[in-house]
Amino acid sequence: MENRIDTKRLLIYLGFAFGIAWLSALVIYLTGGLANSPVLVEPLGLTLALVLMAGVYMWAPAAANVLTRLITGEGWKNAGLRLNIKRGWPYWLAAWFLPPLLTSLGAAIYFVLFPAHFDANLNTLREMLASTGQGAIDPWFVVISQVLLGILASPLLNGFFTFGEEFGWRAYMLPKLMPLGSRKAMLVSGIIWGAWHWPVIFMGYEYGLEYPGAPVVGPLLFLYIATLFGVFLSWVTLRGGSVWPAVIGHAAINGFAAIGSLFTIGEPNPLLGPLPVGVIGSLGWAVVAVLLFNRRGALEPAKETAVSMGIAPEQQDELAAA
């Protein structure tokens, strides 16, 4: 394997990853957007937008991986699907448990800075339960249940959907960018990943439609947020020698991201927090990204990664010296 970017395969991959996802986003937009999408299954509230997001948009990177390998004859030797648990178990644990911790840290910082938005008595949640005929339920039971579910179950429950992204971004695109050096590869992959979200963010995903600077500032901010998340997910992938820690980590991020909203009252600026897609809400993630970038050897790929993800051993030596 030559120490250069495989431009042809990378561009083919990106064409499929963006093309499939953005075409599905176009269908969502033309059929009412995220807010007014047709309901397909009334009792479940299952909309066309949800089906396309979960079944097509999120799986576009995985489909792009498969299609690129088939078209170019690349094969499956370096697919990144080996578990590598014996050597990589610390990164599995980090992927599972660090996202709730970092998300909680960012929310806590936000509420310290903006105490007027902290709903210590869960009054907003109480009102929501009452409006849906569930006023007899203790709101603290809901909070504890959601926290436990977010920590213990969401990395598995959400993993089916996040595999669709991670099998593309971290298992295929990241190794293709590694000739840039691990740090640059993580930054570039994070920006690409963030831009891939743009169509749905323009339609209100993550930040809504009424934030200051809408609809432009949200998509731009998400480039930064995706890069922070991407550094973490790339780290557990490269050091764990497998895509599976990233699948778990991404699922944990998604499953715990909204916990801060249970303690929120009023209308906070979503560009700031308390959710981890805001500047303040993401501070825990920013700290980790800075620590990883400044710790020598932290972002070097593990030796097993050369076998499982197609990064040449000689390239690892050059990355370590970079």
Side-chain angles (χ1 to χ4, degrees), residues 175-256:
K176 290 290 186 289
L177 292 172
M178 286 301 285
L180 296 173
S182 54
R183 290 178 175 83
K184 289 182 181 178
M186 291 183 184
L187 292 176
V188 171
S189 64
I191 291 172
I192 292 173
W193 184 35
W196 176 81
H197 288 82
W198 277 359
V200 290
I201 294 179
F202 274 114
M203 287 188 277
Y205 184 68
E206 299 292 9
Y207 303 106
L209 297 171
E210 298 180 356
Y211 57 86
V216 176
V217 177
L220 293 178
L221 174 59
F222 199 75
L223 296 179
Y224 166 73
I225 299 299
T227 300
L228 294 183
F229 292 160
V231 169
F232 174 77
L233 296 174
S234 297
W235 171 63
V236 297
T237 299
L238 294 175
R239 297 302 298 166
S242 170
V243 71
W244 293 108
V247 172
I248 290 173
H250 193 164
I253 292 171
N254 289 358
F256 205 81

Side-chain angles (χ1 to χ4, degrees), residues 15 54 78-79 95 110 122 156 161 189 204 209 227 247 284 301 303 305 314:
N78 59 348
Y110 176 86
L122 303 180
L156 296 177
F161 302 103
S189 64
L209 297 171
T227 300
V247 172
K303 291 182 178 180
T305 305
E314 63 270 17

Side-chain angles (χ1 to χ4, degrees), residues 63-170:
N65 183 346
V66 173
L67 291 171
T68 303
R69 290 178 184 275
L70 291 176
I71 290 173
T72 64
E74 185 171 355
W76 299 95
K77 183 179 179 180
N78 59 348
L81 294 175
R82 295 183 181 183
L83 297 179
N84 285 331
I85 295 178
K86 184 176 181 180
R87 188 233 175 262
W89 65 266
Y91 303 98
W92 287 67
L93 291 180
W96 196 302
F97 293 107
L98 274 181
L101 177 62
L102 299 177
T103 297
S104 298
L105 176 60
I109 295 173
Y110 176 86
F111 287 130
V112 168
L113 295 176
F114 298 94
H117 289 151
F118 182 60
D119 189 5
N121 296 317
L122 303 180
N123 290 325
T124 301
L125 182 56
R126 292 178 193 275
E127 293 174 2
M128 183 189 73
L129 291 172
S131 67
T132 58
Q134 304 176 76
I137 299 178
D138 187 340
W140 283 105
F141 173 78
V142 175
V143 169
I144 294 172
S145 299
Q146 291 298 310
V147 168
L148 291 177
L149 183 65
I151 294 175
L152 301 178
S154 64
L156 296 177
L157 297 177
N158 293 338
F160 173 80
F161 302 103
T162 57
F163 177 83
E165 289 196 47
E166 295 307 318
F167 189 52
W169 302 125
R170 253 57 67 173

Side-chain angles (χ1 to χ4, degrees), residues 21 24-41 45-58 161 200 203 205:
S24 69
L26 178 61
V27 174
I28 293 173
Y29 175 76
L30 294 175
T31 55
L34 298 177
N36 300 303
S37 181
V39 178
L40 301 180
V41 183
L46 188 65
T47 65
L48 176 62
L50 181 59
V51 170
L52 290 175
M53 283 279 290
V56 180
Y57 203 109
M58 290 185 69
F161 302 103
V200 290
M203 287 188 277
Y205 184 68

